[in-house]
Amino acid sequence: MQSPHSHTAPAALSTQELSQEIKSFISGVDAVQGRKLSVREHARCAVRLLRSVPACRGAVLEHLRGVYDEHVSTFLHNLETEGNASSGATSNLEDIIQEVHGVLSEFIRLNPRAWAPLVSTWAVDLLGQLSSKHAGRRVAPHSSSLNELLQLWMSCAATRSLMESYSQCLAAMLAWCPDACVDALLDTSVKHSPHFDWVVAHIGSAFPGTIISRVLACGLKDFCSHGAKDQGPLVEKGSRVPKIGSVVGILGHLAAHHSDSIRKELLRMFQESLAPSTPLSPSSSSTSWEASPQLRRAAVPFLLQLAAMSPNLFGAVSSELVQGLPREELDNMLGLAVHLISQSPTGGARVLRFLADTATPASVIISGPTPSPHEGVREGCDRLLQMLLLHLHKLVFNRSEGSDVGPFGSASSQPQRVIPFLEELRSHVAPLCAETLRLERKRHLWLHQLLCLLSVYGGPSVATETLCQLLTQARNPEELALAWQLHATLSSCMAGLVPAAVAHCVAQIHTHTLGWRQLRQLLLNLAAALQSSMAAQIGSAVSVHLHDFGPLLLHGDPAVSHAAVRLLSCSPLPRTASPAHLLLLSRAAVTHFFLALRRRGEAGKTGRVLLLTRFAAYSALTLKAILQQLVEGALHKGNAELFGGQIADMSGAPVASPSVSPDLGASLLDINCRFGTTVNFSGSVWSVFHAGVIGKGLKPRTAANLPDPSGVIQNIQTLLAVIVQCCSSSSLNGSQSPSDPEEPPPINAEAAKVIAVTLVENVCPDVANGELSWPPEEHARTTVERDIHIRRCFEAHPVLFPLLQVVAAGRPALCYCSAVLRGLLATLLSHWEGSREASSTDSPWHLQASCLLVSCMGEGQLLPPVLANVHEAFAHLTPFEVRLLLLAVWEYVRGNGPLPQKFVFSSDKGIFCRDFSRDGDVSRYVAPIHSVLHKNIDRLGHLCWRFQL
Amino acid sequence: MNSRLPMASDSSSMKLKLQRSTRRRVGTGTLQQTHTGHVIRRFLVAMGDIRQSLLPRDVLSAAKELLYHLDIYICNMVQSGRQPPQVDSKTLDLIEEFILHTPKDRNSPVRRMSALQELQLLEIMCSCFQEQSRDTVRQLMFSALFNLQGNQADESRMALLSKLVSMAVAVGRVPILECAATWLQRTHRVYCVRLAQVLVDDYCSMVPGSGPTLHNIHSASPRFCCQFITAVTTLYDLTSDELTPPMELLQMIVSWIQDDPRLVLITFLNSPLSGSQPISSLDMTPLGGLIRWCIKAPLAYRRDKKQVNDGSSDSEPDTARLFSALHLSVLQVFMLLPNILNEKGLFGRLALLQMESVATLTSDLSRLLDQADKHTHAATGNTHAASQLALDRLAQALQVAMASGALLCSREDLRAICSRLPHNNLLQLVLSGPVMYYNNIHTPPLAYSPHAAHSPIPAHPTLPPHTPHTPLAAHPAPHAQYPAQPFMTGMPFPFRPGH
């Protein structure tokens, strides 16, 4: 059984020759010829000795180190000079390196047990030495660029050959002593740390599965034998951790490409350490460590330690490890667990939920999907959670000092330490708040504390977010109180929290991220807050954003708008606000008012009235805007029917619904619109008038479909109440006496003027002939069209008369309605003139209008009391007589123009009054009255005293 | 002598050389015991000085210089004729410090040699021992260097020794091998086994093709070869895979013994009969180990084969043949013994085969047989044949050993020892046979002198032959002679002593 000789093996040398050979090898001089051996010859000699004299093994390998080093030097030198002048020498050495490699690989193949440990140690050591020694060379890339390094070294024959030899040894040794070879690798890796990485990388990627598991097993063994003192997680900082460091390094390096295998290995280790020990493990890959109970016990601490040292690895195991935590009963691991949780970059929320779920005391009422855990486990979790909170507390509040608080040096070196657990929870603020608000026993205390920490940790942004969430999600005062507790805690360390939170809420409103329920809740909560102890802070914060809440009044959901009313009506108004915002708010408020009227049946109108009143009282601008909008709104097409009005078209006439007049295919507007685009003279343009199309008779009057008289009355009352309140509550007149609470305050003149002007603008679009003073009655012919419009307006909008009354009450505002009054009076005059009825009562609307008009003018002191009282007689007269009386009115007003400057302010009553004695003699206007009185003395006797001068 | 050792080139060694030459002159001039004692004391003082001069040197030259001085010192000692010639502890300390590099105390720096320097040192030692003409000096020097002292230096001592011997084998340095043979005789067997292990590793497994080099030692140094065989047989007791001798080694040993059976006995023949064998040293001869090999081999190698799964089906008959040949050779060696013992006058007085080792062997064998039975329930013919072969060999060996006076014990003792073994015809015969002839005779081991051995024999033929021996009755002459002589004269043994 002779071993096969390689062709280069010399035929067995005699002992004499061997002795010569050894001498030559030692001296480097040819023993026979006495000349110096070249490097190549010397190496050849060494190889021969390696083959024939076993005792020279160590020396030969040591000598070969020099040869390899020489080759690497030459190689790098060639690279540096980029010349191939000395390539001959290189190839020579390459040749010898090939020979050595051949011999070694033959030996390993023939007897792996003897040679593999030897050669692997030698190769790894030499590789480490070469990599470190030549790391500083110019061509050698920096140790951080692993790929370039790998390319460089693998292109060098010497290192490549070493690497191949090592791989061969490893492949051979894996079968029977896998730990030994990885041990050597780890040791060398520690020694030549950054420069040796490429070797680990190459080996690791060549044998990923085995290397990973071996590395772990090695590390575990080492941990078990050395790591007893390292178990305390917080004290181990400076102590010697020989292998675990490089284990972490290698795994961290391999994690780039083999993270899955690493994760699998770690989990396997974890699971097998937890599994009940079986004497014969079926898995073949698990070699040794499962068998020893000591190692099994050390596995979990080892994994935790690994995780503590490398965020990468921790990411791989964190989530699954968590499931095993409570089962772990080792006390000294609690701290480590806490530390790990706090350092966990992902899965923190899950961990927290798990802990909280488990630690929450079992309740009869709340029974989760899982059966309640064992009491011991629950207590463990409780404790763990409390320690976690404590730890976080320390971390958070010591963070800024930052010097030496943390357990691990790497973390504390940064100025502002990152706490991954909290970092991750930042994105879970909303669910945390929701859970906190559930107010479950101990749980909400924990969570509340955690929220506090999170807010402090995350700074104002998180704090704001948290507070905002609480404000949005709280549903009752108890829950809302949590928000103020949080604020109380945080207010000490950060200022301006409430304004920021409110601003954040507003931002959320703007981005429409809240559902209507949340929105409503938020508004209600803010409103509630305005009445709580926080009123001052919240109030000032909310008032800044009033204009942002304004649009919510018009929110599609009544609940939201209602909530907005609540908020706005109790929030203080800002001291200064831009007109644009004010206008916006008032417009929104008014629109909301009409909307609310439309949604009849809702309670709480007081709130709206209050709101409008508050706004109106804020400034002249708002007052004006509100009144104007109220009036306009009341007259608006959409709202008209609320107040018993009919929808009028541009001409002021009520529009016939298409179903009523199907045959009438023409309207002036339509024709005008079409004019010019199409030539259509089917119905002549000129034949269409406001009263109808010539040849087709009068337009049919639309049937008055008064919806609900009582409702209309109620609406009108509401509207009037609002307007009156707005007018009277305004604090514009500084001289107004606030003395009499039971007497309703007088209508403010300015406010009334606003109403008047608005009325005129709306009812009488034609500004021509709009002067206050009245022309002679005959001149009314020039304004027939306008007068008809005005009359129709009054016909269509019953609410106009009450509005006029309000205006009249606010003397001298009615003067500004002069044009409207004149137009209406003119049409009434023409009506009564043309009327052929026996009694004025036969034209009820005109009669009523006449009465109201005159009484209004009397109230507004456009007429002296004598003339103002004539309306009382109208109902008893014939149309012609009514006309006579109205003419008298006209004449008086024409003679004594309705000018505001005729009114003087009487400070004792607080209102403006007109002294009629200054005007001309009334008696000449009273003559027709007296005539009519005489004529009908039988029926008007009881009224005679009313017309005494 | 100056040419033997490499010259130390610096001035201090020159000075020492001068001192030495003057001392030698003085030593040779006056032979008074006191005076020589004085010289040695002076020299010892000088050795103490040496340490100071060695300290600043590099490791190799320091070791070289120390060797040089050691040589001079021992020469002087031998010349002065001090009894017993023993190296004092101060020198041993120096050796440990500068050659074996054991840290002397905690604060002295650890000096280590590189492998190359070590090789150079080995080379120097080789030539040093080679060129020393006086055996005594050489032996003393070897002892000074390599005798185990039971301290922490022993490990490096063993390592250096192993390398030295391995190298000596390679380059054929006979003097070193002779010294090593002596060392192997005197040292605890554990260390001997380690040395043998290194040699086997080096030459039979590590370096392919280097087996022939080791094979040459039997011609270079038969003593060493014999001790080597003893150590190897002690090491490989066939209890496990690791403890099974490599094929190459087995071939080597078989061929050695086949070539010259007396090789096995060389140590025995050359050693003085003082009986001062150090405790726990190797056996005087490898016979016990060889017998164990032969007997256990059929079972052990069958077990191997089963594990290898027919991977070496062709090697099995090869092994079987080798062991068979070995067995024959061993038996032949036994046959040589009576003459030798008689010549030395030790027949029946010296047991080359210890009773205890036989007892261990039989108990091992019975355990192996039990295992074999257990493992192969349907005991195949193979297993059965193997166990019968083992038992046959045991019986043969026992018979021949007893007859040749190598094993001194009674059959009663043998029966007790072999009681647990399964049945075997031959063994039965061996155990019971002679009892039929003198059933009331206990053979007292110490009374078994060559002269006494002859006395009971004439009484033998008077007893009726026992039935198992009836086949032998066909050959009356050998049968009649059988008890009369320790071995059968009629048998065609070529190596019968005296022929």
Side-chain angles (χ1 to χ4, degrees), chain A residues 1 3 15 18-19 22-23 25-26 51 54-59 62 107 111 114-115, chain B residues 114-116 119-120 123 163 166-167 170-173 202-203 205-209 251:
Chain A
M1 176 154 169
S3 302
T15 54
L18 279 178
S19 162
I22 291 175
K23 282 206 173 70
F25 173 69
I26 289 174
R51 281 185 170 283
C56 296
R57 199 188 308 128
E62 199 167 282
F107 284 174
N111 192 347
W115 281 97
Chain B
S114 72
L116 269 171
L119 182 65
Q120 292 185 39
E123 212 267 336
K163 281 177 186 151
S166 172
M167 188 153 155
V171 298
R173 299 298 190 205
D202 275 357
Y203 288 96
S205 66
M206 292 287 273
V207 181
Q251 279 172 332

